[in-house]
Amino acid sequence: MTTLKSKLQDDLNAAIKERDELRSATLRLTLAAITKEEVAGKAKRELSDDEVLKVITKEAKKRREAAEAFAQGGRAESAEREKAEGEVLAAYLPKQLSDDELNAIVAQAVEEARASGAEGPRAMGAVMKIVNPKVAGQVEGGRVAAVVKKLLAG
């Protein structure tokens, strides 16, 4: 069975052969981040596909934030580059949930939390606990929290 990490390495080799600078640079940085994560603990270890996905998600988020920062700083070219790198990474991530899908999941979780007696600010944690496992990897935490707050505010 091919691991996600070995797929990234195969894709990197292909990108190098095709002289695809953007993809090879992006995949190289991502693989470096994965390796860094593998040697971070007490003993070196192989990351599971789920853990590799977390690293890719983190890298994609960095690109998105950098793109926004460059755009605000009037550096359109750098912003475009970061966006393009983010799109390379997005290909490896599960499809992101649409706002409608996310709203539906959160609305259901709010009902569940209310049914178990969670009200007011305390309900936030209860709702997040229900929602997070359902949307893991398919939506960014900040987006989830924003929707939960909005729906709890009613």
Side-chain angles (χ1 to χ4, degrees), residues 51-130:
E51 292 169 312
V52 170
L53 266 180
K54 281 195 184 111
V55 174
I56 297 173
T57 304
K58 210 182 322 175
E59 290 295 309
K61 183 179 179 194
K62 278 185 202 166
R63 301 304 188 288
R64 209 168 27 254
E65 290 169 352
E68 284 169 19
F70 281 135
Q72 286 167 356
R75 294 177 55 194
E77 207 172 288
S78 299
E80 281 308 307
R81 169 72 189 207
E82 294 290 337
K83 251 193 213 128
E85 288 184 10
E87 282 162 22
V88 168
L89 294 174
Y92 297 95
L93 296 172
K95 196 176 142 340
Q96 296 290 296
L97 292 174
S98 70
D99 289 344
D100 290 344
E101 292 168 315
L102 180 59
N103 284 332
I105 292 169
V106 172
Q108 189 189 344
V110 168
E111 292 301 310
E112 278 179 50
R114 286 208 173 114
S116 64
E119 285 292 332
R122 275 200 332 242
M124 178 87 187
V127 173
M128 291 297 282
K129 244 185 225 135
I130 298 167

Side-chain angles (χ1 to χ4, degrees), residues 5 9 31-48 51-52 55:
K5 183 182 175 189
Q9 280 162 330
L31 283 161
I34 291 167
T35 304
K36 188 175 160 205
E37 196 65 30
E38 287 178 333
V39 297
K42 289 186 174 82
K44 187 180 187 320
R45 63 194 181 87
E46 277 286 312
L47 294 186
S48 70
E51 292 169 312
V52 170
V55 174

